[in-house]
């Protein structure tokens, strides 16, 4: 017994070393391929775009410019923020300053360290249910869950590693509070509340989710296990009520109502409910439902591992049914993993605990028969092998989210644009764009409501550059309040007002003035409306396009059918390194790397091994395009000889502004003037809309 107890700390250290090692192994991405994963003076790029949200706040903390209103996010109204910055950003700023390292270098390493710390709370959770062996196994299988390793490895700078760590820590603390009978249980309670507070600072965007995951184990402990004497109970619940009321008071009188509203809105978002505007969750990868095979791969490495985990979890719930309420937070979020990929990492601790409990049960069978212990060893080895193999496969396909040349251009925009400029870009790249350009954007991932999602996509999908320029000018001048005014003045409903608004912006001031006679009889009213639609004074506006923008649902959202609440999802594949002669095309898909070929005599294309019949092959040349027509229906290949690239796409996207500019490299100089131009990869255009002056008219 003593020997077993002495070896436990050593085994835990070995598990910690393995956990840290698999995460640090991702560093080879930057070490072996710096040209793809670094930019400007070897600054490392992050694997995920959301990391730049926290990195930008870390920079502001260092510079002393962090404020509760972020004026450069969600232009023109700005984005409100908490007075206390996220813990992840604060730790990063402190690490960078203390160790004299770049913020990006600190951001590479911190996720690996935070993610590895999960071994400690998971050891105590496992030990609570099955002793030291279960604790070691639970710590191991949770720490090396492939999806968790991927989202807490070197370069994946986000809250995921800390989310699981703090959730498990709260559960471990409240377990001890419920299990102990002496006054020391209140020390564990205090530790649980401290962990909950740190959790709130860590995952600061989701108060309701954090509270549910962290406090449900405490609720279970109070209902099932907490049985103090009457006087002690009266003091405890009175103190708990005071703390709760003080918290609500500090949050404000509308805190409870606002929390319910946020929770309802979040649930609607996850369930992908659609109002007038398209729900962004329908198009965001981490909000999509995963197939069971993919869930099993991300949690335990394979379906076999997942089955072992659920078998062990079922056994645990049966054997420990009076104590399994401490897992309620993980169970609820684990169930949600079948609704959205974002929550899959919360299933990993549950399944890890299940496998750990199964192994412990097999090992401790009566009479210590060798067959049972061999089964336990086999289960352990198989589960670990499957996880490690999957981790290796994930690492092989990991790559920085932003292209180095694109990020380099973001940095150059500090010199290429005035300080008060507004950059219109796809929400997906807004975080690094704000960080490196220090310019305002209109929407980003955190502020992406359904309305802003649509607003953002509209100019990409416009049929004319005039309409796109006027739309951007209108929104930058008036924001969402202006959109609401347009709704009230032009039909009263979104379905009626928004198409009308876009039509007027496409006409320009003169034609729009004539068209507005049907709504406004008075010349003064028409003049006021035209001045509203085509404002005089706006800050400089720039359209920033990159290859990622083309592979987002800009067309589906930007041409959303408000009457039927639906949109068309086109095919779009950019390609580069094209070799073209009179009869054949051969190129590489930009995003996916597979081969694209086409027989230009027959109009038959092979894309990633799949056969497609083309309707047209368009050579995008100045002043006029050259078109080969093959049939009435089918996808289209547009080829830009100057860029040696182009797009394989549905025919509907060819007449859109983003296609005209990014693929065709053709601009109407009245509305778009070039600032930086590398077709297919990255562009920046200065935007000039039409203006209406009441004085001149």
């Amino acid at each position: 017994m003593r020997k077993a107890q002495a070896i436990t700390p050593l085994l835990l250290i070995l598990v910690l070393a393995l956990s840290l090692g698999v995460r640090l192994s991702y560093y080879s991405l930057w070490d072996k391929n710096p040209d793809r994963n670094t930019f400007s003076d070897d600054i490392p790029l992050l694997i995920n775009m959301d990391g730049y949200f926290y990195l930008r706040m870390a920079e502001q903390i260092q510079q002393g410019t962090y404020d509760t209103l972020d004026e450069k996010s969600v232009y023109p109204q700005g984005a409100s923020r908490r007075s206390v910055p996220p813990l992840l950003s604060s730790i990063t700023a402190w690490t960078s300053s203390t160790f004299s390292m770049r913020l990006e270098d600190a951001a590479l390493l911190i996720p690996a360290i935070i993610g590895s710390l999960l071994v400690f709370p998971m050891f105590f959770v496992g030990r609570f249910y099955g002793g030291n062996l279960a604790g070691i196994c639970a710590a191991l299988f949770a720490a090396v869950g492939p999806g968790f390793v991927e989202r807490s490895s070197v370069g994946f700078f986000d809250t995921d590693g800390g989310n699981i760590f703090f959730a498990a820590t709260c559960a471990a603390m409240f377990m001890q509070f419920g299990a102990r009978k002496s006054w020391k249980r209140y020390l564990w309670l205090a530790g649980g509340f401290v962990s909950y507070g740190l959790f709130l600072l860590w995952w600061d965007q989701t108060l309701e989710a954090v509270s549910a995951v962290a406090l449900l184990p405490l609720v279970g402990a109070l209902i099932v296990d907490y049985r103090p004497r009457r006087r002690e109970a009266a003091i405890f619940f009175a103190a708990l009520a005071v703390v709760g009321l003080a918290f609500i008071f500090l949050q404000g009188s509308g805190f409870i109502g606002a929390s319910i509203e946020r929770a309802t809105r979040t649930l609607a978002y996850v369930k992908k409910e659609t109002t007038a505007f398209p729900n962004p969750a329908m198009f965001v990868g981490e909000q999509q439902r995963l197939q069971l095979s993919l869930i099993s791969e991300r949690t335990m490495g394979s379906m076999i591992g997942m089955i072992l985990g659920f078998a062990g979890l079922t056994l645990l719930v049966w054997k420990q049914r009076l104590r399994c309420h401490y897992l309620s937070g993980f169970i609820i979020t684990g169930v949600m993993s079948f609704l959205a990929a974002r929550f899959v990492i919360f299933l990993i601790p549950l399944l890890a605990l299940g496998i750990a409990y199964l192994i412990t049960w097999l090992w401790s069978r009566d009479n210590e028969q060798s067959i049972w212990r061999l089964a336990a060893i086999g289960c352990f080895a198989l589960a670990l092998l499957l996880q490690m193999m999957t981790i290796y496969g994930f690492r092989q396909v990991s790559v920085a989210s932003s292209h180095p040349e694109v990020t380099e251009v973001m940095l150059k925009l500090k010199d290429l644009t005035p300080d008060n400029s507004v950059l219109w870009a796809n929400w997906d790249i807004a975080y690094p764009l704000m960080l490196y350009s220090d310019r305002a954007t209109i929407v980003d991932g955190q502020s992406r409501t359904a309305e802003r999602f649509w607003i953002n996509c509209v100019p990409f999908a416009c049929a004319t550059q005039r309409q796109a320029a006027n739309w951007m000018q209108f929104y930058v001048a008036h924001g969402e309040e202006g959109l609401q005014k347009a709704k009230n003045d032009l039909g009263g409903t979104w379905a009626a007002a928004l198409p009308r608004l876009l039509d007027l912006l496409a006409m320009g001031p003169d034609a729009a003035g004539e068209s507005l006679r049907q709504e406004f009889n008075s010349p003064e009213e028409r003049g006021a409306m035209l001045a509203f639609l085509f404002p005089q004074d706006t800050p400089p506006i720039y359209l920033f396009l990159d290859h990622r923008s083309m592979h987002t649902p800009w067309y589906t959202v930007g041409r959303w059918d408000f009457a039927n609440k639906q949109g068309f999802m086109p095919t779009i594949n950019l390609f580069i390194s094209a070799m073209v002669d009179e009869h054949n095309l051969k190129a590489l898909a930009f995003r996916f790397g597979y081969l694209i070929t086409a027989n230009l005599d027959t109009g038959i294309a092979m894309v990633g091994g799949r056969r497609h019949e083309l309707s047209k092959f368009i050579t995008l040349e100045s002043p006029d395009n050259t078109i080969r027509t093959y049939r009435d229906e089918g996808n289209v290949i547009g080829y830009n000889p100057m860029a040696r690239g182009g797009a394989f796409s549905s025919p509907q996207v060819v007449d859109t502004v983003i296609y005209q500019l990014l693929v065709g490299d053709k601009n109407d100089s009245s509305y778009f003037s070039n600032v930086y131009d590398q077709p297919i990869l990255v562009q920046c255009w200065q935007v000039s809309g039409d203006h209406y002056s009441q004085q001149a008219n």
Side-chain angles (χ1 to χ4, degrees):
M1 178 67 73
R2 289 182 179 178
K3 187 180 292 186
Q5 289 178 343
I7 203 173
T8 298
L10 177 61
L11 290 175
L12 192 59
I13 291 172
L14 290 175
V15 171
L16 177 64
L18 177 63
S19 174
L20 186 60
V22 294
R23 286 167 170 79
L24 292 177
S25 68
Y26 275 69
Y27 187 75
S28 62
L29 296 175
W30 291 266
D31 188 43
K32 295 180 179 179
N33 194 6
D35 291 341
R36 177 59 184 86
N37 296 305
T38 64
F39 75 105
S40 184
D41 298 326
D42 294 325
I43 298 174
L45 293 164
L46 301 180
I47 290 178
N48 62 317
M49 281 292 185
D50 285 351
Y52 292 102
F53 171 73
Y54 295 100
L55 197 63
R56 179 167 171 261
M57 283 189 283
E59 181 184 68
Q60 292 172 341
I61 293 168
Q62 269 193 340
Q63 297 173 348
T65 58
Y66 180 86
D67 198 359
T68 54
L69 179 64
D70 185 358
E71 295 181 348
K72 293 187 176 177
S73 177
V74 199
Y75 190 89
Q77 59 262 44
S80 59
R81 302 191 292 199
R82 295 189 177 185
S83 57
V84 179
L87 188 56
L88 177 59
S89 299
S90 299
I91 291 174
T92 306
W94 176 85
T95 303
S96 173
S97 299
T98 302
F99 297 100
S100 300
M101 57 196 308
R102 292 177 302 197
L103 283 168
E104 288 86 355
D105 292 322
L108 280 188
L109 298 175
I110 286 173
I113 296 171
I114 298 294
S116 298
L117 294 178
L118 179 64
V119 301
F120 295 112
M122 282 306 300
F123 169 76
F124 289 104
V125 171
R127 190 174 73 167
F128 180 81
Y129 288 109
N132 285 341
L133 177 59
I136 292 295
C137 291
L140 174 62
F141 293 122
V144 298
F148 182 56
V149 170
E150 182 185 40
R151 297 182 72 89
S152 62
S153 62
V154 166
F156 199 100
F157 187 59
D158 212 331
T159 59
D160 295 64
N163 293 345
I164 305 299
F165 167 74
F166 284 116
T169 300
C170 288
M173 293 286 184
F174 293 135
M175 280 176 182
Q176 295 301 317
F177 165 72
R180 293 176 182 267
K181 305 303 178 184
S182 71
W183 64 269
K184 291 183 179 180
R185 62 183 166 193
Y186 297 109
L187 296 178
W188 291 102
L189 178 67
F193 276 123
V194 169
S195 300
Y196 169 55
L198 292 173
F199 199 178
L200 286 173
L201 292 175
W202 183 266
W203 203 8
D204 69 315
Q205 305 298 319
T206 51
L207 170 65
E208 293 73 31
V210 168
S211 298
V213 173
L215 297 183
L216 277 175
L218 174 60
V219 173
L222 293 175
I223 294 173
V224 179
D225 298 320
Y226 185 62
R227 295 293 182 271
R229 294 179 180 179
R230 183 175 299 178
R231 184 165 181 264
E232 181 184 346
I235 295 173
F236 170 75
F237 283 111
L240 198 63
V242 169
V243 171
L245 290 172
F247 180 78
I248 293 173
F249 176 78
L250 291 173
Q251 293 292 325
S253 58
F255 166 70
I256 295 178
S259 295
I260 294 173
E261 182 183 350
R262 282 195 302 268
T264 303
R265 192 165 58 241
T266 300
L267 185 60
Y269 176 77
V270 172
K271 291 171 64 179
K272 305 171 185 64
E273 294 177 359
T274 297
T275 55
F277 293 90
N279 188 332
M282 295 191 299
F283 309 99
V284 177
E286 66 179 19
Q287 297 297 338
Q288 303 306 306
R289 291 188 180 186
L290 294 181
Q291 295 179 350
L292 189 60
S293 60
L294 292 177
I295 295 176
S296 65
E297 182 183 52
R298 290 180 177 275
T299 53
M300 294 292 107
S302 71
M303 188 64 73
I304 294 173
M306 191 176 189
I307 291 172
L308 291 175
F310 274 120
L313 192 61
T314 303
L315 183 65
L316 184 153
V317 171
W318 174 250
K319 294 278 188 179
Q320 306 269 348
R321 51 188 174 274
L322 297 180
R323 301 203 300 174
C324 63
H325 51 271
Y326 292 110
L327 303 175
S328 53
F330 278 123
I331 289 173
I332 289 175
T333 48
V335 169
M336 291 185 70
S337 68
F338 294 94
L339 298 176
R342 179 72 177 86
F343 298 99
V344 166
I345 59 171
F346 287 95
L347 189 59
I348 292 172
L350 274 179
L351 296 178
L353 183 61
I355 292 180
Y357 194 81
L358 179 62
I359 291 170
T360 304
W361 181 78
L362 291 171
W363 185 265
S364 60
R365 294 285 288 164
D366 292 341
N367 302 322
E368 297 186 355
Q369 296 179 24
S370 59
I371 186 66
W372 295 109
R373 295 205 164 182
L374 284 174
I377 293 171
C379 182
F380 175 89
L382 178 62
L384 183 60
L385 177 64
L386 292 171
Q387 284 187 315
M388 297 303 290
M389 289 174 61
T390 305
I391 290 171
Y392 178 79
F394 282 179
R395 189 181 66 191
Q396 298 304 110
V397 297
S398 293
V399 67
S401 56
S402 183
H403 194 282
E405 292 183 51
V406 174
T407 315
E408 191 79 47
V409 175
M410 294 178 185
L411 201 58
K412 290 178 180 178
L413 291 179
K414 281 186 177 181
D415 299 321
L416 296 174
T417 61
D419 291 346
N420 65 333
S421 300
V422 177
L423 302 181
W424 196 293
N426 188 274
W427 64 267
D428 190 37
I429 59 170
Y431 291 146
L433 188 58
M434 283 190 288
L435 172 64
Y436 292 119
S437 71
D438 195 30
R439 301 292 182 263
T441 62
I442 62 143
V443 67
D444 51 50
Q446 194 271 332
S447 63
R448 186 193 59 234
T449 62
E451 292 85 351
R452 292 172 190 154
F453 191 39
W454 176 80
I455 290 163
N456 183 218
C457 293
V458 165
F460 306 138
C462 284
T464 69
Q465 294 183 27
R466 176 185 224 175
Q467 185 184 46
N470 286 334
W471 171 258
M472 288 185 276
Q473 177 182 262
F474 170 82
Y475 184 77
V476 168
H478 303 300
E480 292 178 71
E481 290 184 3
L483 208 60
Q484 185 64 48
K485 173 177 166 50
K487 173 190 171 184
N488 297 335
D489 292 345
L490 297 174
T493 66
W494 293 121
L498 293 177
R500 176 64 171 151
L501 173 61
L502 286 168
D503 286 345
L504 291 169
L505 293 174
M507 296 175 190
D510 293 339
E514 290 299 315
S515 181
L516 283 169
R517 290 180 181 275
Q518 58 184 294
E519 284 110 343
F520 302 98
N521 295 322
S522 164
E524 290 77 13
E525 290 180 341
R526 283 198 302 276
M529 192 62 186
L530 289 170
F532 172 67
L533 294 174
F534 306 99
Q536 287 282 346
D537 298 319
T538 62
I541 304 170
Y542 294 84
L543 177 64
F544 185 88
L545 301 175
D546 78 326
H547 65 99
R548 285 177 62 99
S549 305
M550 201 69 171
H551 292 119
T552 61
W554 56 270
Y555 187 92
T556 310
V557 178
R559 294 202 177 180
W560 187 253
D561 182 346
F562 284 92
N564 298 308
K565 297 182 181 180
Q566 63 184 14
F568 171 70
M569 180 72 78
T571 296
I572 304 173
N573 280 318
L574 294 180
F575 59 81
I576 55 173
S577 304
M579 294 184 291
V580 181
D581 58 30
E582 187 177 348
H583 305 288
N584 295 285
L585 174 143
K586 184 177 182 181
L588 290 176
F590 196 122
R591 189 178 182 189
F592 307 105
Y594 49 65
L595 193 63
I596 296 178
T597 61
N599 184 317
L600 303 184
D601 295 323
T602 62
I604 301 298
M606 297 294 293
V607 181
R610 298 183 63 180
R611 184 179 183 274
H612 296 268
E613 294 186 349
L614 300 176
S615 59
K616 295 176 182 178
F617 178 82
I618 307 173
T619 304
L620 304 165
E621 299 175 310
S622 295
D624 298 315
N625 297 332
T626 303
I627 301 175
R628 292 193 194 185
T629 301
Y630 302 105
R631 49 191 65 86
D632 293 335
E633 297 183 353
N635 289 326
V636 173
I637 287 182
Y639 170 61
N640 184 332
M642 298 298 294
R644 289 191 59 218
F648 168 82
S649 68
S650 301
Q652 290 88 340
V653 307
V654 175
D655 70 341
T656 61
V657 167
I658 191 174
Y659 192 98
Q660 295 165 18
L661 296 176
L662 188 63
V663 181
D665 199 26
K666 292 185 177 181
N667 63 298
D668 182 339
S669 58
S670 299
Y671 299 100
F672 290 91
S673 53
N674 187 259
V675 176
Y676 187 92
D677 188 17
Q678 194 170 347
I680 311 298
L681 180 61
V682 58
Q683 294 175 328
C684 184
W685 303 88
Q686 184 168 9
V687 181
S688 302
D690 293 320
H691 304 295
Y692 177 82
S693 173
Q694 286 181 293
Q695 293 179 347
N697 290 270

